[in-house]
Protein backbone atom coordinates (compact mmCIF):
# COMPACT_ATOMS: atom_id res chain seq x y z
CA UNK A 1 0.00 0.00 0.00
CA UNK A 2 2.82 2.42 0.87
CA UNK A 3 4.47 1.59 -2.45
CA UNK A 4 1.38 2.56 -4.41
CA UNK A 5 0.87 5.67 -2.26
CA UNK A 6 4.50 6.67 -2.89
CA UNK A 7 3.99 6.23 -6.63
CA UNK A 8 0.99 8.58 -6.43
CA UNK A 9 3.11 11.05 -4.44
CA UNK A 10 5.84 10.69 -7.08
CA UNK A 11 3.48 11.86 -9.83
CA UNK A 12 1.89 14.55 -7.68
CA UNK A 13 5.27 16.06 -6.83
CA UNK A 14 6.43 15.77 -10.45
CA UNK A 15 3.29 17.64 -11.56
CA UNK A 16 3.93 20.41 -9.03
CA UNK A 17 7.53 20.89 -10.15
CA UNK A 18 6.61 20.75 -13.81
CA UNK A 19 3.90 23.40 -13.23
CA UNK A 20 6.45 25.86 -11.81
CA UNK A 21 9.23 24.94 -14.24
CA UNK A 22 10.33 27.51 -16.87
CA UNK A 23 8.47 27.47 -20.16
CA UNK A 24 9.90 25.09 -22.70
CA UNK A 25 10.96 22.54 -20.07
CA UNK A 26 10.58 19.09 -21.54
CA UNK A 27 10.10 15.94 -19.51
CA UNK A 28 10.43 12.41 -20.78
CA UNK A 29 7.16 11.19 -19.30
CA UNK A 30 7.71 7.53 -20.24
CA UNK A 31 11.02 7.60 -18.40
CA UNK A 32 9.25 8.85 -15.27
CA UNK A 33 6.64 6.10 -15.61
CA UNK A 34 9.53 3.66 -15.35
CA UNK A 35 10.89 5.42 -12.27
CA UNK A 36 7.50 5.30 -10.56
CA UNK A 37 7.56 1.53 -11.09
CA UNK A 38 11.05 1.48 -9.54
CA UNK A 39 9.64 3.26 -6.46
CA UNK A 40 6.97 0.58 -6.04
CA UNK A 41 9.61 -2.11 -6.57
CA UNK A 42 11.79 -0.56 -3.86
CA UNK A 43 9.03 -1.09 -1.31
CA UNK A 44 8.66 -4.70 -2.47
CA UNK A 45 12.40 -5.21 -1.94
CA UNK A 46 12.21 -3.58 1.49
CA UNK A 47 9.33 -5.87 2.47
CA UNK A 48 11.27 -8.98 1.41
CA UNK A 49 14.64 -8.23 3.01
CA UNK A 50 13.32 -6.55 6.18
CA UNK A 51 11.00 -7.77 8.93
CA UNK A 52 8.06 -5.42 8.38
CA UNK A 53 5.68 -8.35 8.19
CA UNK A 54 6.74 -9.37 11.72
CA UNK A 55 6.46 -5.83 13.12
CA UNK A 56 3.52 -4.67 15.23
CA UNK A 57 2.92 -1.43 13.33
CA UNK A 58 0.11 -0.40 15.67
CA UNK A 59 2.36 -0.14 18.70
CA UNK A 60 5.58 1.43 17.44
CA UNK A 61 7.07 4.25 19.49
CA UNK A 62 8.36 7.40 17.80
CA UNK A 63 11.96 6.16 17.64
CA UNK A 64 10.87 2.94 15.92
CA UNK A 65 8.71 4.89 13.45
CA UNK A 66 11.66 7.17 12.64
CA UNK A 67 13.93 4.18 12.03
CA UNK A 68 11.34 2.44 9.87
CA UNK A 69 10.73 5.59 7.81
CA UNK A 70 14.44 6.28 7.37
CA UNK A 71 15.04 2.74 6.14
CA UNK A 72 12.14 2.90 3.68
CA UNK A 73 13.29 6.27 2.31
CA UNK A 74 16.89 5.08 2.03
CA UNK A 75 15.74 1.97 0.17
CA UNK A 76 13.75 4.04 -2.35
CA UNK A 77 16.60 6.50 -2.89
CA UNK A 78 19.18 3.72 -3.20
CA UNK A 79 17.06 1.79 -5.70
CA UNK A 80 16.50 4.89 -7.86
CA UNK A 81 20.21 5.79 -7.80
CA UNK A 82 21.15 2.21 -8.65
CA UNK A 83 18.79 2.32 -11.63
CA UNK A 84 20.17 5.73 -12.65
CA UNK A 85 23.72 4.37 -12.71
CA UNK A 86 22.78 1.12 -14.44
CA UNK A 87 20.75 2.91 -17.13
CA UNK A 88 23.27 5.79 -17.44
CA UNK A 89 20.29 8.10 -17.43
CA UNK A 90 21.06 11.81 -17.83
CA UNK A 91 17.45 12.86 -18.43
CA UNK A 92 16.01 12.59 -14.93
CA UNK A 93 15.80 15.90 -13.12
CA UNK A 94 18.15 15.91 -10.14
CA UNK A 95 16.12 18.79 -8.71
CA UNK A 96 13.05 16.59 -8.73
CA UNK A 97 14.89 13.60 -7.26
CA UNK A 98 16.48 15.38 -4.29
CA UNK A 99 13.37 17.44 -3.51
CA UNK A 100 11.18 14.34 -3.73
CA UNK A 101 13.20 12.46 -1.08
CA UNK A 102 12.46 14.79 1.90
CA UNK A 103 8.80 15.02 0.85
CA UNK A 104 8.65 11.24 0.66
CA UNK A 105 10.23 10.96 4.12
CA UNK A 106 7.69 13.36 5.63
CA UNK A 107 4.73 11.56 4.04
CA UNK A 108 6.03 8.12 5.05
CA UNK A 109 6.65 9.32 8.61
CA UNK A 110 3.07 10.53 8.89
CA UNK A 111 1.74 7.38 7.24
CA UNK A 112 3.71 4.99 9.48
CA UNK A 113 2.54 6.84 12.58
CA UNK A 114 -1.12 7.39 11.73
CA UNK A 115 -2.15 4.97 8.97
CA UNK A 116 -1.89 1.60 10.80
CA UNK A 117 -4.08 2.69 13.71
CA UNK A 118 -6.51 4.50 11.42
CA UNK A 119 -6.87 1.48 9.15
CA UNK A 120 -7.36 -0.85 12.09
CA UNK A 121 -10.12 1.31 13.53
CA UNK A 122 -11.81 1.67 10.15
CA UNK A 123 -11.62 -2.01 9.22
CA UNK A 124 -12.59 -3.46 12.59
CA UNK A 125 -14.92 -0.91 14.16
CA UNK A 126 -18.01 -2.60 12.69
CA UNK A 127 -16.79 -6.14 13.35
CA UNK A 128 -17.96 -8.17 16.30
CA UNK A 129 -15.76 -8.27 19.37
CA UNK A 130 -13.45 -11.24 19.73
CA UNK A 131 -14.59 -12.21 23.23
CA UNK A 132 -11.49 -13.91 24.58
CA UNK A 133 -10.99 -16.21 27.55
CA UNK A 134 -7.56 -16.86 29.12
CA UNK A 135 -7.02 -20.40 30.42
CA UNK A 136 -4.13 -21.40 32.68
CA UNK A 137 -2.05 -20.42 35.67
CA UNK A 138 -2.55 -16.97 37.13
CA UNK A 139 1.14 -16.10 36.97
CA UNK A 140 1.11 -16.36 33.17
CA UNK A 141 -1.91 -14.09 32.69
CA UNK A 142 -0.26 -10.68 33.12
CA UNK A 143 2.30 -11.07 30.32
CA UNK A 144 -0.40 -12.23 27.89
CA UNK A 145 -2.74 -9.43 28.93
CA UNK A 146 -0.32 -6.74 27.74
CA UNK A 147 -0.35 -8.37 24.29
CA UNK A 148 -4.14 -8.61 24.32
CA UNK A 149 -4.51 -4.92 25.14
CA UNK A 150 -2.33 -4.00 22.16
CA UNK A 151 -4.74 -6.00 19.98
CA UNK A 152 -7.77 -4.04 21.18
CA UNK A 153 -7.69 -2.12 17.88
CA UNK A 154 -8.50 -5.40 16.15
CA UNK A 155 -11.56 -5.98 18.34
CA UNK A 156 -9.96 -8.35 20.87
CA UNK A 157 -11.62 -8.11 24.29
CA UNK A 158 -10.56 -10.23 27.28
CA UNK A 159 -13.60 -11.35 29.28
CA UNK A 160 -11.79 -13.12 32.10
CA UNK A 161 -9.53 -15.95 33.21
CA UNK A 162 -10.25 -19.62 33.84
CA UNK A 163 -7.89 -21.08 36.41
CA UNK A 164 -7.81 -23.70 39.09
CA UNK A 165 -6.57 -21.03 41.49
CA UNK A 166 -8.96 -18.37 42.84
CA UNK A 167 -8.27 -14.64 42.94
CA UNK A 168 -8.06 -11.68 40.62
CA UNK A 169 -5.67 -12.06 37.70
CA UNK A 170 -5.00 -8.42 36.91
CA UNK A 171 -6.89 -5.42 38.27
CA UNK A 172 -10.56 -5.86 37.51
CA UNK A 173 -10.11 -8.92 35.31
CA UNK A 174 -12.15 -11.67 37.03
CA UNK A 175 -11.47 -15.36 37.45
CA UNK A 176 -14.62 -16.95 36.02
CA UNK A 177 -14.12 -20.46 37.32
CA UNK A 178 -12.01 -23.59 37.10
CA UNK A 179 -10.96 -25.52 34.01
CA UNK A 180 -13.43 -28.24 34.91
CA UNK A 181 -16.26 -25.76 34.15
CA UNK A 182 -14.73 -24.49 30.91
CA UNK A 183 -17.63 -25.51 28.63
CA UNK A 184 -20.23 -23.82 30.82
CA UNK A 185 -18.12 -20.64 31.06
CA UNK A 186 -17.69 -20.49 27.27
CA UNK A 187 -21.43 -20.82 26.70
CA UNK A 188 -22.44 -18.39 29.46
CA UNK A 189 -20.10 -15.58 28.40
CA UNK A 190 -20.46 -16.13 24.63
CA UNK A 191 -16.71 -16.70 24.22
CA UNK A 192 -15.39 -16.72 20.66
CA UNK A 193 -11.70 -17.30 21.39
CA UNK A 194 -9.71 -19.19 24.02
CA UNK A 195 -6.03 -18.54 24.74
CA UNK A 196 -4.13 -21.20 26.64
CA UNK A 197 -1.54 -19.30 28.69
CA UNK A 198 1.07 -22.03 28.33
CA UNK A 199 1.52 -25.45 26.82
CA UNK A 200 0.05 -27.77 29.47
CA UNK A 201 2.07 -30.59 31.01
CA UNK A 202 -0.69 -32.99 30.04
CA UNK A 203 -1.13 -33.20 26.29
CA UNK A 204 -4.26 -35.27 26.85
CA UNK A 205 -5.86 -32.40 28.80
CA UNK A 206 -4.90 -29.96 26.08
CA UNK A 207 -6.41 -32.28 23.46
CA UNK A 208 -9.69 -32.28 25.41
CA UNK A 209 -9.70 -28.46 25.45
CA UNK A 210 -9.01 -28.44 21.70
CA UNK A 211 -11.88 -30.89 21.06
CA UNK A 212 -14.21 -28.78 23.21
CA UNK A 213 -13.33 -25.58 21.29
CA UNK A 214 -13.87 -27.37 17.97
CA UNK A 215 -17.25 -28.65 19.13
CA UNK A 216 -18.35 -25.17 20.27
CA UNK A 217 -16.90 -23.36 17.24
CA UNK A 218 -14.40 -21.41 19.34
CA UNK A 219 -10.93 -20.45 18.12
CA UNK A 220 -8.10 -21.85 20.26
CA UNK A 221 -4.67 -20.27 20.59
CA UNK A 222 -1.83 -21.55 22.77
CA UNK A 223 1.03 -19.38 23.98
CA UNK A 224 4.25 -21.02 22.88
CA UNK A 225 6.45 -21.13 25.98
CA UNK A 226 9.08 -23.44 24.51
CA UNK A 227 11.44 -20.46 24.67
CA UNK A 228 11.08 -20.53 28.46
CA UNK A 229 11.72 -24.27 28.50
CA UNK A 230 14.84 -24.14 26.31
CA UNK A 231 16.04 -20.72 27.58
CA UNK A 232 16.49 -19.47 24.00
CA UNK A 233 14.34 -18.31 21.05
CA UNK A 234 12.46 -20.95 19.05
CA UNK A 235 11.80 -20.66 15.31
CA UNK A 236 9.19 -22.74 13.46
CA UNK A 237 9.19 -23.56 9.76
CA UNK A 238 7.71 -26.06 7.31
CA UNK A 239 9.39 -27.77 4.36
CA UNK A 240 8.32 -30.64 2.11
CA UNK A 241 5.34 -31.45 4.30
CA UNK A 242 7.42 -31.66 7.49
CA UNK A 243 7.22 -29.25 10.42
CA UNK A 244 10.39 -28.25 12.27
CA UNK A 245 11.41 -25.94 15.05
CA UNK A 246 14.91 -24.60 15.57
CA UNK A 247 16.48 -22.90 18.56
CA UNK A 248 17.00 -19.59 16.76
CA UNK A 249 16.01 -17.61 13.69
CA UNK A 250 18.69 -17.49 11.00
CA UNK A 251 17.86 -15.07 8.17
CA UNK A 252 21.01 -16.10 6.32
CA UNK A 253 19.62 -19.61 5.89
CA UNK A 254 17.35 -18.04 3.28
CA UNK A 255 19.02 -18.56 -0.14
CA UNK A 256 17.97 -15.09 -1.31
CA UNK A 257 19.61 -13.45 1.70
CA UNK A 258 22.80 -15.45 1.15
CA UNK A 259 22.88 -14.33 -2.49
CA UNK A 260 22.41 -10.68 -1.46
CA UNK A 261 25.14 -10.90 1.16
CA UNK A 262 27.57 -12.59 -1.25
CA UNK A 263 26.81 -9.95 -3.88
CA UNK A 264 27.74 -7.21 -1.39
CA UNK A 265 30.95 -9.09 -0.54
CA UNK A 266 32.06 -9.40 -4.15
CA UNK A 267 30.99 -5.87 -5.14
CA UNK A 268 33.15 -4.36 -2.37
CA UNK A 269 36.03 -6.86 -2.20
CA UNK A 270 36.85 -6.99 -5.91
CA UNK A 271 37.75 -3.29 -6.36
CA UNK A 272 39.66 -3.31 -3.06
CA UNK A 273 41.79 -6.28 -4.15
CA UNK A 274 42.36 -4.93 -7.68
CA UNK A 275 42.97 -1.24 -6.98
CA UNK A 276 43.70 -0.62 -3.28
CA UNK A 277 45.54 -3.71 -2.02
CA UNK A 278 48.49 -3.46 -4.48
CA UNK A 279 49.15 0.18 -3.53
CA UNK A 280 48.85 -0.57 0.19
CA UNK A 281 51.13 -3.59 -0.16
CA UNK A 282 53.83 -1.40 -1.68
CA UNK A 283 53.40 1.19 1.08
CA UNK A 284 53.50 -1.38 3.90
CA UNK A 285 56.52 -3.13 2.39
CA UNK A 286 58.41 0.19 2.55
CA UNK A 287 57.44 0.53 6.24
CA UNK A 288 58.70 -3.00 6.86
CA UNK A 289 62.05 -2.25 5.24
CA UNK A 290 62.40 0.87 7.40
CA UNK A 291 61.28 -0.48 10.77
CA UNK A 292 60.86 -4.27 10.76
CA UNK A 293 62.26 -6.24 7.79
CA UNK A 294 60.55 -9.49 7.05
CA UNK A 295 57.49 -10.97 5.38
CA UNK A 296 54.77 -8.64 4.11
CA UNK A 297 51.83 -10.74 5.27
CA UNK A 298 50.96 -12.35 8.58
CA UNK A 299 49.18 -15.66 8.09
CA UNK A 300 47.43 -17.66 10.77
CA UNK A 301 44.93 -20.49 10.83
CA UNK A 302 41.52 -19.39 12.12
CA UNK A 303 38.08 -20.98 12.59
CA UNK A 304 35.73 -20.60 9.64
CA UNK A 305 32.09 -21.43 9.06
CA UNK A 306 31.03 -24.70 10.60
CA UNK A 307 33.91 -26.82 11.87
CA UNK A 308 36.29 -25.70 9.12
CA UNK A 309 39.46 -23.63 9.35
CA UNK A 310 41.21 -21.34 6.90
CA UNK A 311 44.41 -19.31 6.58
CA UNK A 312 43.75 -15.63 7.29
CA UNK A 313 45.82 -12.87 5.66
CA UNK A 314 46.85 -9.64 7.39
CA UNK A 315 49.61 -7.10 6.93
CA UNK A 316 52.32 -7.96 9.46
CA UNK A 317 52.42 -5.41 12.29
CA UNK A 318 54.70 -7.23 14.74
CA UNK A 319 58.42 -7.87 14.63
CA UNK A 320 59.57 -11.19 13.18
CA UNK A 321 60.19 -13.97 15.73
CA UNK A 322 58.39 -12.06 18.46
CA UNK A 323 57.30 -15.17 20.36
CA UNK A 324 53.94 -16.91 20.71
CA UNK A 325 51.30 -15.84 18.20
CA UNK A 326 48.55 -17.01 20.54
CA UNK A 327 49.10 -14.13 22.98
CA UNK A 328 46.61 -11.30 22.43
CA UNK A 329 47.96 -7.92 21.41
CA UNK A 330 47.86 -5.45 24.29
CA UNK A 331 48.05 -1.67 24.48
CA UNK A 332 51.68 -0.53 23.96
CA UNK A 333 52.64 -4.12 23.05
CA UNK A 334 56.41 -4.22 22.51
CA UNK A 335 56.01 -6.84 19.77
CA UNK A 336 54.36 -4.26 17.52
CA UNK A 337 56.72 -1.97 15.60
CA UNK A 338 56.06 1.77 15.66
CA UNK A 339 54.18 2.23 12.36
CA UNK A 340 52.52 -1.13 12.92
CA UNK A 341 50.55 0.51 15.73
CA UNK A 342 49.03 2.93 13.24
CA UNK A 343 48.30 0.14 10.79
CA UNK A 344 46.38 -1.65 13.54
CA UNK A 345 44.69 1.48 14.91
CA UNK A 346 43.36 2.44 11.47
CA UNK A 347 42.54 -1.22 10.63
CA UNK A 348 44.78 -1.05 7.55
CA UNK A 349 46.34 -4.39 8.56
CA UNK A 350 42.95 -6.05 7.92
CA UNK A 351 42.76 -5.07 4.22
CA UNK A 352 44.39 -8.31 2.90
CA UNK A 353 41.40 -10.20 4.31
CA UNK A 354 39.46 -9.04 1.25
CA UNK A 355 41.41 -11.86 -0.45
CA UNK A 356 39.76 -14.27 2.00
CA UNK A 357 36.40 -12.71 1.10
CA UNK A 358 36.91 -13.32 -2.62
CA UNK A 359 37.96 -16.90 -1.88
CA UNK A 360 34.66 -17.39 -0.02
CA UNK A 361 36.36 -18.10 3.32
CA UNK A 362 35.16 -14.88 4.94
CA UNK A 363 32.52 -12.22 4.53
CA UNK A 364 32.96 -8.47 4.90
CA UNK A 365 30.60 -8.52 7.89
CA UNK A 366 30.42 -11.37 10.38
CA UNK A 367 31.84 -12.56 13.70
CA UNK A 368 35.57 -11.85 13.93
CA UNK A 369 37.62 -15.07 13.68
CA UNK A 370 39.98 -15.58 16.60
CA UNK A 371 43.10 -17.68 16.93
CA UNK A 372 42.28 -21.35 17.50
CA UNK A 373 43.82 -21.20 20.98
CA UNK A 374 41.52 -18.31 21.88
CA UNK A 375 38.48 -20.19 20.60
CA UNK A 376 39.03 -22.91 23.18
CA UNK A 377 39.45 -20.36 25.98
CA UNK A 378 36.50 -18.18 25.00
CA UNK A 379 34.18 -21.19 24.56
CA UNK A 380 34.65 -21.96 28.27
CA UNK A 381 33.47 -18.45 29.18
CA UNK A 382 30.46 -18.10 26.83
CA UNK A 383 28.35 -21.22 26.31
CA UNK A 384 27.01 -19.94 22.97
CA UNK A 385 30.45 -19.03 21.63
CA UNK A 386 30.46 -21.69 18.89
CA UNK A 387 27.10 -20.43 17.60
CA UNK A 388 29.19 -17.74 15.86
CA UNK A 389 30.44 -20.39 13.43
CA UNK A 390 26.96 -20.79 11.90
CA UNK A 391 27.87 -17.90 9.58
CA UNK A 392 31.09 -16.93 7.82
CA UNK A 393 33.57 -14.92 9.87
CA UNK A 394 33.92 -11.29 8.88
CA UNK A 395 36.50 -8.55 8.46
CA UNK A 396 34.27 -6.44 10.70
CA UNK A 397 31.18 -7.19 12.73
CA UNK A 398 28.48 -5.86 15.00
CA UNK A 399 30.65 -6.43 18.08
CA UNK A 400 33.46 -4.36 16.56
CA UNK A 401 31.32 -1.33 15.68
CA UNK A 402 29.81 -1.48 19.18
CA UNK A 403 33.30 -0.99 20.57
CA UNK A 404 34.08 -4.59 21.54
CA UNK A 405 37.38 -4.91 19.75
CA UNK A 406 41.01 -5.23 20.81
CA UNK A 407 42.11 -7.31 23.77
CA UNK A 408 39.49 -9.30 25.69
CA UNK A 409 40.70 -8.91 29.27
CA UNK A 410 37.63 -10.09 31.20
CA UNK A 411 34.90 -12.69 30.87
CA UNK A 412 32.44 -9.83 30.34
CA UNK A 413 34.41 -8.70 27.26
CA UNK A 414 34.00 -12.15 25.72
CA UNK A 415 30.30 -12.45 26.63
CA UNK A 416 29.43 -9.05 25.15
CA UNK A 417 31.18 -9.88 21.88
CA UNK A 418 29.40 -13.22 21.64
CA UNK A 419 26.03 -11.61 22.40
CA UNK A 420 26.58 -9.11 19.57
CA UNK A 421 27.65 -11.84 17.14
CA UNK A 422 24.64 -14.04 17.96
CA UNK A 423 22.31 -11.03 17.65
CA UNK A 424 23.77 -10.36 14.19
CA UNK A 425 23.16 -13.89 12.89
CA UNK A 426 19.64 -14.00 14.37
CA UNK A 427 18.59 -10.55 13.11
CA UNK A 428 20.54 -10.11 9.89
CA UNK A 429 19.17 -7.75 7.27
CA UNK A 430 20.66 -5.90 4.33
CA UNK A 431 20.17 -2.64 6.23
CA UNK A 432 22.14 -3.99 9.19
CA UNK A 433 24.88 -5.17 6.82
CA UNK A 434 25.35 -1.73 5.26
CA UNK A 435 25.05 0.03 8.62
CA UNK A 436 27.94 -2.02 10.00
CA UNK A 437 30.00 -1.37 6.86
CA UNK A 438 29.48 2.41 7.06
CA UNK A 439 30.16 2.49 10.80
CA UNK A 440 33.37 0.54 10.23
CA UNK A 441 34.46 3.02 7.55
CA UNK A 442 33.81 5.87 10.02
CA UNK A 443 35.87 4.10 12.70
CA UNK A 444 38.78 3.79 10.27
CA UNK A 445 38.81 7.60 10.15
CA UNK A 446 38.14 8.15 13.86
CA UNK A 447 39.28 4.94 15.64
CA UNK A 448 37.70 4.01 19.00
CA UNK A 449 39.88 3.89 22.09
CA UNK A 450 39.88 0.07 21.99
CA UNK A 451 41.70 0.07 18.64
CA UNK A 452 45.34 -0.86 19.16
Amino acid sequence: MLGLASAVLFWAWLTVLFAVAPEGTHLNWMRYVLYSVVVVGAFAVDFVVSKVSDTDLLNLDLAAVLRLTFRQTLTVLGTILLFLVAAKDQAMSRTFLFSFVPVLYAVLLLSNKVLPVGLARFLFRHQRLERTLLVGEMGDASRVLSWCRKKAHYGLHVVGVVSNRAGAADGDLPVLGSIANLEEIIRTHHITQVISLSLPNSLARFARIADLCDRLGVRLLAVNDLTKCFHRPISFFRESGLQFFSLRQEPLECPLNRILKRAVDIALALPVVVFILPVLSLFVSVLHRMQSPGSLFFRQRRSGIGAGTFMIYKFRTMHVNHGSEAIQATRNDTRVFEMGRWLRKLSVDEIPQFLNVLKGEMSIVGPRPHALEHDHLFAKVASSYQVRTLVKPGITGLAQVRGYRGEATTDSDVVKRVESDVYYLENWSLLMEWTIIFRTAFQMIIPPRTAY
Side-chain angles (χ1 to χ4, degrees):
M1 178 178 290
L2 285 179
L4 295 176
S6 298
V8 173
L9 176 66
F10 180 95
W11 282 104
W13 190 246
L14 182 63
T15 303
V16 170
L17 287 188
F18 182 71
V20 298
E23 291 186 13
T25 301
H26 175 71
L27 294 179
N28 186 337
W29 293 101
M30 290 306 299
R31 176 69 70 180
Y32 282 91
V33 169
L34 185 57
Y35 279 109
S36 64
V37 173
V38 169
V39 170
V40 177
F43 279 94
V45 171
D46 179 76
F47 184 83
V48 171
V49 302
S50 68
K51 297 183 177 181
V52 173
S53 58
D54 298 328
T55 303
D56 186 2
L57 297 176
L58 290 178
N59 296 286
L60 294 180
D61 57 24
L62 181 59
V65 172
L66 289 171
R67 288 195 300 269
L68 173 63
T69 305
F70 179 77
R71 189 196 69 229
Q72 291 170 336
T73 306
L74 192 63
T75 301
V76 171
L77 177 61
T79 306
I80 292 176
L81 291 177
L82 183 63
F83 185 83
L84 270 171
V85 173
K88 298 180 180 179
D89 185 12
Q90 301 295 325
M92 185 176 191
S93 168
R94 271 48 175 179
T95 301
F96 165 74
L97 176 60
F98 291 106
S99 63
F100 171 68
V101 170
V103 173
L104 175 65
Y105 181 85
V107 171
L108 287 178
L109 181 62
L110 181 63
S111 298
N112 287 326
K113 187 63 180 175
V114 176
L115 193 59
V117 175
L119 281 176
R121 288 174 177 170
F122 175 76
L123 293 174
F124 295 100
R125 64 181 176 179
H126 298 303
Q127 300 293 322
R128 64 178 176 82
L129 287 178
E130 194 73 77
R131 296 178 60 82
T132 302
L133 187 67
L134 306 184
V135 178
E137 295 298 324
M138 301 296 299
D140 297 321
S142 58
R143 63 189 180 95
V144 178
L145 272 174
S146 62
W147 173 84
C148 291
R149 287 171 180 143
K150 292 177 181 178
K151 299 298 179 183
H153 291 298
Y154 298 116
L156 190 150
H157 171 66
V158 178
V159 176
V161 180
V162 170
S163 176
N164 289 331
R165 297 184 182 181
D170 183 89
D172 297 328
L173 190 66
V175 175
L176 301 178
S178 65
I179 297 176
N181 300 320
L182 182 59
E183 179 174 356
E184 179 185 351
I185 294 169
I186 290 175
R187 293 182 182 277
T188 301
H189 294 275
H190 307 290
I191 301 299
T192 61
Q193 178 172 263
V194 169
I195 298 180
S196 176
L197 298 175
S198 62
L199 295 175
N201 296 328
S202 171
L203 291 179
R205 188 183 74 179
F206 187 72
R208 288 196 295 271
I209 294 176
D211 291 340
L212 173 63
C213 289
D214 284 348
R215 181 159 51 85
L216 298 179
V218 173
R219 180 181 294 105
L220 174 63
L221 302 178
V223 175
N224 172 20
D225 58 352
L226 290 176
T227 296
K228 185 171 65 175
C229 297
F230 287 99
H231 305 291
R232 65 194 70 186
I234 303 297
S235 176
F236 290 85
F237 61 98
R238 179 195 296 269
E239 281 192 14
S240 302
L242 298 175
Q243 290 184 336
F244 301 88
F245 74 83
S246 63
L247 298 185
R248 58 182 39 86
Q249 294 184 3
E250 295 182 61
L252 286 172
E253 281 300 288
C254 171
L256 175 61
N257 289 342
R258 290 212 297 261
I259 290 172
L260 292 173
K261 182 172 174 64
R262 185 59 180 160
V264 171
D265 286 344
I266 294 175
L268 294 182
L270 192 58
V272 170
V273 169
V274 173
F275 299 109
I276 298 177
L277 183 59
V279 177
L280 278 180
S281 297
L282 180 61
F283 173 72
V284 175
S285 65
V286 172
L287 295 181
H288 283 169
R289 287 177 179 271
M290 295 171 57
Q291 297 189 352
S292 180
S295 60
L296 176 63
F297 294 112
F298 166 76
R299 297 187 300 170
Q300 188 181 55
R301 189 155 293 280
R302 300 283 179 96
S303 296
I305 189 170
T309 62
F310 69 101
M311 193 67 70
I312 197 172
Y313 298 99
K314 302 176 70 174
F315 284 130
R316 182 175 58 86
T317 58
M318 293 185 177
H319 294 294
V320 178
N321 301 322
H322 55 71
S324 175
E325 295 178 349
I327 300 176
Q328 294 185 73
T330 59
R331 190 181 298 275
N332 301 321
D333 198 318
T334 57
R335 297 173 298 168
V336 181
F337 62 88
E338 186 176 352
M339 288 305 298
R341 300 184 196 283
W342 284 101
L343 295 178
R344 297 174 71 92
K345 193 175 187 66
L346 299 175
S347 301
V348 174
D349 62 321
E350 311 284 1
I351 298 299
Q353 289 166 45
F354 283 95
L355 290 169
N356 295 113
V357 173
L358 286 184
K359 292 170 65 177
E361 298 166 334
M362 294 180 66
S363 180
I364 292 176
V365 180
R368 280 296 296 159
H370 300 124
L372 300 183
E373 294 87 346
H374 297 164
D375 282 339
H376 298 306
L377 293 174
F378 295 162
K380 295 177 181 178
V381 175
S383 59
S384 57
Y385 180 81
Q386 295 298 346
V387 173
R388 305 162 72 253
T389 64
L390 293 177
V391 294
K392 287 182 183 179
I395 299 176
T396 184
L398 183 60
Q400 281 63 48
V401 299
R402 285 179 170 178
Y404 306 129
R405 56 175 290 181
E407 182 185 11
T409 57
T410 65
D411 290 353
S412 177
D413 290 339
V414 177
V415 171
K416 288 177 180 178
R417 295 182 192 198
V418 172
E419 287 176 348
S420 294
D421 291 335
V422 173
Y423 181 88
Y424 168 79
L425 72 90
E426 290 181 345
N427 298 274
W428 180 92
S429 69
L430 205 54
L431 177 64
M432 179 185 289
E433 191 85 352
W434 280 107
T435 300
I436 294 172
I437 291 172
F438 284 126
R439 289 180 65 180
T440 301
F442 178 78
Q443 289 185 357
M444 291 181 69
I445 301 172
I446 305 178
R449 61 178 182 82
T450 53
Y452 52 84

